[in-house]
Amino acid sequence: QGFDPQLQARSLAATCANCHGTHGQARGDMKPLAGMPAEKMLAALADFKSGAQPATVMHQIAKGYTEEQLKLVAAYFAAQPARR
Amino acid sequence: QGFDPQLQARSLAATCANCHGTHGQARGDMKPLAGMPAEKMLAALADFKSGAQPATVMHQIAKGYTEEQLKLVAAYFAAQPARR
């Protein structure tokens, strides 16, 4: 299909970089996402979305993505080298 | 209906406070929302949602709300006293 999923994943994940750092390599107390296993991220996002996991903004941000988009984002961050 | 729209508006708007300040009375270079006319906010949110207005996170955040929820949030901030 015409649309490059890699490109779509990267543009979706660009929003996360605003708080979680470029490629999710967060500094300071913000949770790094780089290298996080996709299943772990998808489980956390599902808990944010359902409200099982209270949050400041993540419960609302997670609602703006489809399941398909969340899978793309989770796969994108899982493939990023974790910051040593 | 059982659900108190005032309460719902306040809980939806609580997410915005993380960046735009409590009651939207932002300090520094973050855009204050307190006292902004609802139509102006709804137009801005529609542009974020459609992509007409590029943004760092607002394009994605706006996607997580229904039109009904955006109206509640816009009415909530319009009713907040703007910071002098």
Side-chain angles (χ1 to χ4, degrees):
Chain A
Q1 28 93 303
F3 204 77
D4 167 7
Q6 287 300 342
L7 194 62
Q8 196 195 1
R10 243 190 16 234
S11 88
L12 287 170
T15 305
C16 317
N18 287 285
C19 297
H20 292 283
T22 312
H23 307 310
Q25 293 162 336
R27 283 173 183 66
D29 58 5
M30 194 54 85
K31 187 147 190 61
L33 304 178
M36 182 187 286
E39 303 70 34
K40 188 176 169 209
M41 184 175 291
L42 288 169
L45 288 166
D47 284 353
F48 282 132
K49 213 170 183 178
S50 71
Q53 174 61 49
T56 50
V57 290
M58 280 310 301
H59 61 302
Q60 188 56 47
I61 288 184
K63 289 192 178 80
Y65 291 90
T66 62
E67 287 312 311
E68 198 40 47
Q69 289 176 323
L70 291 179
K71 283 193 191 111
L72 281 172
V73 167
Y76 170 82
F77 283 116
Q80 302 309 310
R83 212 162 57 86
R84 241 132 339 270
Chain B
Q1 27 94 303
F3 204 76
D4 166 6
Q6 286 302 340
L7 195 62
Q8 197 194 358
R10 242 188 18 234
S11 88
L12 289 170
T15 306
C16 317
N18 288 284
C19 296
H20 292 284
T22 311
H23 307 310
Q25 293 163 335
R27 283 173 183 64
D29 57 4
M30 194 54 84
K31 187 147 189 63
L33 303 179
M36 182 187 284
E39 304 71 31
K40 187 176 168 208
M41 185 175 290
L42 288 169
L45 288 166
D47 284 352
F48 282 132
K49 215 169 182 177
S50 69
Q53 173 60 48
T56 49
V57 289
M58 280 310 301
H59 61 302
Q60 189 57 46
I61 288 185
K63 288 191 177 84
Y65 291 90
T66 63
E67 285 314 310
E68 199 40 47
Q69 289 175 323
L70 292 179
K71 282 194 191 112
L72 280 173
V73 167
Y76 170 81
F77 283 115
Q80 303 308 309
R83 212 162 57 87
R84 240 138 333 273

